């Protein structure tokens, strides 16, 4: 597998009005493109040269692992959003209610966990943990992933380093959350490589 910029799973303007075409272009066409290029340069000539970003993030160390985590999280981010949101499956809705009381509780938990990352950037994750797959919210810095044993990422909310964009980010996530992708991950997982 070569380390290349993955295509978006939808048209660049498909997330409007919640995420503008310019925001998508900036995050995918510039930020993620630079990230993947740096990852490819760091991996070149190493045993990781043909590995996926997830494999590198799980097995490498240092800057190589951090850059792979960034690349993987950005790909996961695009799959966490959908132009036609839909609603959580019955199983996922029941898990949300059990963990957070209701969907609003989930969004409050995600907002609270992500708050320290505003202005610096990072990720707010909805994850399932343990054999019972109980839901939880975690926040990570840009170069970190919740890929520990027993933790399954379901969705991710991008916390932009720019204060203005970070403030609007959770509202966009609420409007665009890809519940089908989350349900598939809860049942699977079916994570992007």
């Amino acid at each position: 597998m070569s380390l290349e910029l993955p295509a978006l799973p939808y048209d660049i303007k498909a997330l409007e009005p919640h995420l503008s075409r310019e925001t998508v272009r900036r995050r995918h066409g510039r930020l993620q493109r630079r990230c993947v290029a740096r990852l490819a340069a760091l991996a070149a000539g190493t045993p990781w040269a043909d590995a996926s970003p997830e494999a590198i993030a799980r097995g490498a160390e240092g800057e190589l692992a951090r850059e792979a985590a960034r690349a993987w999280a950005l790909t996961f981010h695009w799959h966490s959003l959908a132009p036609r949101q839909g609603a959580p499956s019955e199983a996922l809705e029941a898990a949300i209610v059990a963990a957070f009381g209701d969907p609003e509780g989930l969004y409050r938990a995600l907002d609270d966990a992500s708050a320290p990352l505003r202005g610096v950037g990072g990720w707010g994750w909805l994850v399932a943990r343990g054999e019972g797959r109980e839901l939880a919210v975690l926040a990570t810095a840009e170069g970190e992933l919740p890929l520990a044993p027993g933790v399954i990422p379901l969705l991710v909310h991008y916390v932009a380093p720019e204060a203005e964009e970070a403030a609007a980010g959770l509202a966009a996530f609420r409007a665009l959350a890809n519940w089908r992708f989350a349900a598939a991950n809860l049942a699977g997982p079916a994570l992007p490589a």
Side-chain angles (χ1 to χ4, degrees):
M1 167 180 211
S2 62
L3 295 169
E4 297 177 358
L5 179 68
L8 289 170
Y10 32 72
D11 185 76
I12 193 168
K13 63 182 184 261
L15 303 178
E16 291 180 333
H18 308 289
L19 277 182
S20 71
R21 174 183 332 201
E22 182 51 40
T23 298
V24 174
R25 185 177 289 121
R26 186 175 57 252
R27 284 187 197 167
H28 181 260
R30 294 183 203 141
L31 175 66
Q32 191 171 7
R33 181 179 306 279
R34 280 193 310 265
C35 179
V36 171
R38 281 193 305 262
L39 175 59
L42 289 167
T46 74
W48 299 107
D50 293 323
S52 70
E54 181 181 359
I56 297 169
R58 287 181 184 271
E61 295 179 353
E63 186 59 24
L64 180 60
R66 285 189 296 279
E67 207 60 49
R70 287 183 190 105
W72 188 89
L74 282 160
T75 298
F76 198 90
H77 163 67
W78 297 119
H79 289 276
S80 292
L81 305 175
R84 289 174 213 82
Q85 178 187 39
S89 65
E90 284 183 36
L92 188 52
E93 173 112 20
I96 289 169
V97 169
F100 305 104
D102 60 20
E104 288 304 312
L106 164 61
Y107 294 121
R108 278 191 303 276
L110 192 56
D111 191 39
D112 291 347
S114 302
L117 300 172
R118 290 186 198 118
V120 294
W123 305 100
W125 301 87
L126 174 62
V127 301
R129 294 197 284 200
E131 290 183 32
R133 296 198 175 193
E134 293 86 15
L135 300 189
V137 167
L138 304 173
T140 64
E142 279 195 19
E144 299 173 1
L145 297 175
L147 294 178
V151 177
I152 301 168
L154 303 181
L155 291 175
V156 68
H157 158 54
Y158 176 69
V159 183
E162 302 84 12
E164 294 170 8
E165 197 174 323
L170 188 59
F173 177 78
R174 286 176 72 135
L176 298 168
N178 186 347
W179 294 112
R180 254 188 242 156
F181 180 64
N185 289 329
L186 184 63
L191 307 177

